[in-house]
Amino acid sequence: MTGTTGSNGNGTGDTEALREEIRRTRVELGETMELLAAKADVKARLKDSAEQARERVREQAASTVARVRGQAAEGVDRARIQAYDTSVAVRRDPVPWATIAAGAVAAVVVLLIVRGRRR
C-alpha cells in the first residue's frame, strides 16, 4: 500500500502534507469567519455606509461650489465687458444718451408741475 507509513520514511511526507493542508484549511476557515462576523455586524456596516454617504456629499458639495464659483466669475467678466462696451458706445455717440437724459428731466419737470396743481 502506498501512502501509508512504512519503514522507508514515506509516512513523514504524507503527515507533513496533511498538517500543511490542515493549517491552510484553518487559515481559510478563520478568514471566512471574519467575513461572516463582519457581515453580521450591522452597526459597523451602517456606520461604514453613513461615512461613504458623507464623503459622497462632501465631494458633490465641493464640485458644486467650484462650478458656481466658475459661473460667477464668468458672469462678472461678462458684466465688465458689457459695461465697457456701453461706456465706449456713450463716448462714441453721446447724442442719444443726452436725448434720453433730457427726456427724463422733462418728464420729472412735468410730473412736478402736475403734482403742484393738485395741491
Side-chain angles (χ1 to χ4, degrees):
M1 290 180 87
T2 54
T4 60
T5 54
S7 61
N8 60 7
N10 286 339
T12 308
D14 290 342
T15 305
E16 287 301 316
L18 284 174
R19 286 184 179 152
E20 182 61 27
E21 185 177 339
I22 290 170
R23 188 193 62 77
R24 275 194 309 257
T25 303
R26 284 182 180 158
V27 169
E28 289 174 5
L29 183 60
E31 290 172 356
T32 302
M33 291 301 293
E34 287 177 10
L35 290 173
L36 288 173
K39 279 190 172 186
D41 191 2
V42 176
K43 186 176 179 181
R45 288 176 57 197
L46 287 175
K47 188 176 179 181
D48 289 343
S49 177
E51 184 59 37
Q52 290 174 358
R54 267 191 236 98
E55 188 60 34
R56 279 194 307 271
V57 168
R58 284 184 192 126
E59 290 172 0
Q60 288 174 348
S63 173
T64 301
V65 166
R67 188 179 69 240
V68 168
R69 284 183 179 162
Q71 289 174 346
E74 290 174 9
V76 167
D77 290 343
R78 273 189 250 120
R80 284 183 183 153
I81 291 169
Q82 287 176 349
Y84 177 76
D85 291 346
T86 303
S87 68
V88 168
V90 168
R91 285 187 209 123
R92 246 189 257 143
D93 193 13
V95 174
W97 294 100
T99 306
I100 292 171
V105 169
V108 169
V109 168
V110 168
L111 243 157
L112 291 174
I113 292 172
V114 170
R115 280 181 119 187
R117 287 187 178 175
R118 286 188 183 170
R119 288 184 181 181

